[in-house]
């Protein structure tokens, strides 16, 4: 299948999903690009098979709890592609999303007055979740290879955090993928200070050859998170959590916790289980990778001469701004009808990050809308 065929699809919608009612092209969102020619037939047939096995009234009769036995077995096979070995199914929790998993893990791991370490530029909702539970956030410096292990060591000695949350592959927002050596260093620091890891690996499925997760080097302390919303489809929200052990999984999620918002939709769980069991999830991923690579080339060509951190498998590009205010540049681009994210939105209050903007390239349904947006960005920058 070639890249052009993937994006030249017909749609009943008159407006691209990335275009707001007032005409702004929203590139601040980080959705995977749609690949309907591949996604639609595979998912339609898979859903038919799911419903043939379980009538709707049975499939949706109750919660999926931590996932059915089959869900956990297929989830173990799914994460094994990244971890290098199949974890015991009793360590697997099937959740609604990575956000829901983090919501559950923070009070369980870092509650009772303990702190959470986090990259100084990171996924913004995690700071909000920590604040909601009264968990103090400690920032750790990053460099060109991701989280700085010396800075992490100092934070561990000084602050004694209960856990570290981080993205090791296609870091959000900088796009950095940590080297294997750096991952081993972070694992060693965590083990030395007995700091638990919450490793968000949501972007790794789109990488050409991602290194093993940090969790593979320190499994006894790691809560490994691998979701689907950033690689298959934004609406197919599902995440697999790999706990350090079965007892930890039960303690953090079920039966001791009575919250239900984290539980996976039965239909999504059954669908993903079916796709993994047949290997059809890999066909969808392959199509998304082809489309994403083509979009990266479009962006690189459209912004030629501009400094860009770009990888064909990443859902966004990161543009450093030398001597320019990221907030001002983002505002100027918005005046040209495109929404991007400024670096300040990924930092804590009081920390002045390097000026840069993040441009999400997967949200437009078609390349033509992305091309239009990139043209507007170039005009704004000039």
């Amino acid at each position: 299948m070639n890249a052009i065929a993937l994006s030249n699809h017909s749609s009943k919608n008159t407006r691209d999903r990335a275009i707001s009612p007032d005409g702004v092209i929203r590139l601040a969102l980080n959705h995977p690009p749609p690949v309907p020619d591949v996604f639609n037939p595979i998912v339609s047939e898979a859903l038919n098979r799911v419903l043939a096995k379980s009538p709707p009234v049975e499939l949706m009769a109750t919660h999926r709890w931590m996932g059915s036995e089959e869900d956990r077995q297929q989830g173990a096979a799914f994460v094994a592609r990244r971890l290098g070995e199949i974890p015991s199914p009793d360590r697997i929790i099937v959740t609604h999303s990575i956000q829901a998993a983090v919501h559950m893990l923070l009070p369980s791991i870092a509650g009772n007055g303990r702190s959470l370490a986090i990259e100084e530029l990171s996924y913004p909702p995690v700071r909000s979740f920590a604040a909601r539970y009264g968990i103090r956030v400690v920032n750790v410096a990053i460099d060109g290879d991701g989280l700085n292990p010396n800075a992490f060591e100092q934070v561990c000695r000084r602050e004694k955090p209960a856990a570290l949350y981080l993205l090791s592959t296609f870091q959000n927002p900088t796009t950095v993928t940590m080297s294997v050596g750096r991952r081993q260093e972070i694992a060693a620091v965590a083990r030395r200070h007995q700091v638990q890891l919450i490793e968000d690996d949501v972007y790794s499925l789109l990488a050409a050859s991602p290194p093993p997760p940090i969790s593979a080097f320190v499994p006894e302390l790691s809560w490994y998170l691998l979701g689907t919303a950033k690689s298959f489809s934004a609406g197919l929200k599902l995440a697999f959590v790999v706990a350090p052990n079965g007892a930890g999984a039960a303690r953090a999620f079920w039966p001791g916790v009575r919250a239900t918002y984290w539980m996976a939709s039965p239909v999504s769980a059954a669908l993903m289980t079916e796709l993994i069991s047949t290997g059809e999830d890999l066909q969808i991923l392959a199509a998304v990778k082809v489309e994403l690579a083509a979009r990266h080339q479009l962006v690189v060509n459209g912004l030629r001469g501009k400094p860009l951190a770009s990888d064909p498998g990443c859902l966004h590009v990161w543009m450093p701004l030398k001597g320019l205010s990221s907030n001002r540049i983002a505002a100027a681009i918005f005046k040209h009808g495109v929404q991007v994210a400024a670096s300040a939105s990924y930092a804590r209050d009081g920390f002045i990050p390097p000026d840069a903007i993040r441009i999400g390239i997967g949200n437009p349904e078609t390349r033509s809308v992305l091309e239009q947006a990139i043209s507007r960005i170039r005009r704004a920058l000039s």
Side-chain angles (χ1 to χ4, degrees):
M1 173 157 310
N2 62 60
I4 295 176
L6 292 175
S7 64
N8 292 339
H9 66 279
S10 60
S11 175
K12 296 179 181 179
N13 298 325
T14 57
R15 186 190 299 274
D16 190 290
R17 70 182 185 183
I19 302 177
S20 68
D22 56 358
V24 174
I25 302 175
R26 294 171 292 193
L27 301 189
L29 299 173
N30 229 16
H31 295 160
V35 288
D37 294 339
V38 175
F39 189 90
N40 287 346
I42 287 178
V43 171
S44 295
E45 292 172 14
L47 281 171
N48 285 335
R49 295 195 300 270
V50 166
L51 293 174
K53 295 176 185 176
S54 301
V57 71
E58 294 180 11
L59 181 62
M60 304 177 210
T62 185
H63 293 303
R64 204 84 170 183
W65 308 123
M66 293 169 71
S68 68
E69 183 177 351
E70 186 179 7
D71 292 341
R72 292 194 297 276
Q73 289 175 345
Q74 293 302 328
F78 184 71
V79 299
R81 298 172 187 164
R82 290 289 295 120
L83 293 172
E85 62 181 17
I86 300 177
S88 171
D90 70 347
R91 294 173 58 198
I92 303 293
I93 307 105
V94 184
T95 70
H96 169 259
S97 63
I98 283 183
Q99 281 194 357
V102 172
H103 247 303
M104 295 297 291
L105 288 173
L106 290 188
S108 174
I109 296 174
N112 298 321
R114 301 195 69 187
S115 60
L116 172 73
I118 189 171
E119 295 150 305
E120 60 187 1
L121 289 178
S122 189
Y123 181 49
V126 176
R127 296 180 190 277
S128 300
F129 300 162
R132 187 171 300 165
Y133 293 114
I135 295 170
R136 186 168 57 89
V137 171
V138 180
N139 291 274
V140 184
I142 58 176
D143 58 28
D145 198 15
L147 190 84
N148 185 299
N150 292 328
F152 182 37
E153 176 82 40
Q154 292 171 12
V155 164
C156 289
R157 290 178 178 176
R158 185 178 65 249
E159 305 289 346
K160 296 180 172 48
L164 166 71
Y165 168 87
L166 82 168
L167 292 101
S168 53
T169 300
F170 294 149
Q171 200 269 348
N172 188 9
T174 64
T175 77
V176 168
T177 292
M178 204 182 274
S179 67
V180 173
R182 177 62 63 90
R183 291 168 191 245
Q184 292 172 326
E185 288 183 83
I186 298 300
V189 175
R191 180 174 284 126
R192 188 155 53 245
H193 294 277
Q194 289 297 291
V195 174
Q196 297 191 61
L197 298 183
I198 302 173
E199 185 175 14
D200 185 344
D201 209 27
V202 68
Y203 293 114
S204 68
L205 295 176
L206 296 176
S209 53
I214 300 172
S215 299
F217 300 115
V218 58
E220 75 276 12
L221 290 173
S222 294
W223 296 84
Y224 177 73
L225 314 180
L226 190 61
T228 59
K230 299 299 185 184
S231 48
F232 294 89
S233 179
L236 181 56
K237 290 185 74 66
L238 200 75
F240 298 99
V241 180
V242 184
N245 50 60
R251 183 171 57 252
F253 287 87
W254 181 262
V257 182
R258 289 177 171 78
T260 59
Y261 63 83
W262 58 271
M263 295 178 187
S265 159
V267 175
S268 293
L271 171 61
M272 199 63 207
T273 292
E274 179 69 19
L275 292 174
I276 297 167
S277 70
T278 61
E280 290 170 312
D281 62 317
L282 295 174
Q283 296 178 42
I284 296 172
L285 280 175
V288 174
K289 288 180 180 181
V290 169
E291 176 63 22
L292 196 52
R295 292 184 180 216
H296 268 276
Q297 193 59 54
L298 184 157
V299 173
V300 170
N301 290 340
L303 296 175
R304 191 172 299 281
K306 306 295 182 184
L308 289 177
S310 171
D311 186 287
C314 191
L315 289 180
H316 60 273
V317 299
W318 182 243
M319 180 186 290
L321 302 168
K322 296 180 180 179
L324 299 172
S325 163
S326 59
N327 287 331
R328 279 183 161 183
I329 292 298
I333 292 172
F334 190 79
K335 288 181 180 178
H336 281 73
V338 181
Q339 181 191 46
V340 298
S343 56
S345 61
Y346 299 92
R348 74 181 193 276
D349 291 342
F351 171 67
I352 301 176
D355 282 306
I357 56 173
R358 194 195 77 167
I359 304 170
I361 67 175
N363 194 37
E365 293 182 73
T366 62
R367 290 183 212 163
S368 61
V369 171
L370 177 61
E371 190 170 22
Q372 182 183 4
I374 296 303
S375 178
R376 293 182 187 183
I377 290 173
R378 186 165 191 92
R379 287 200 302 272
L381 292 173
S382 63

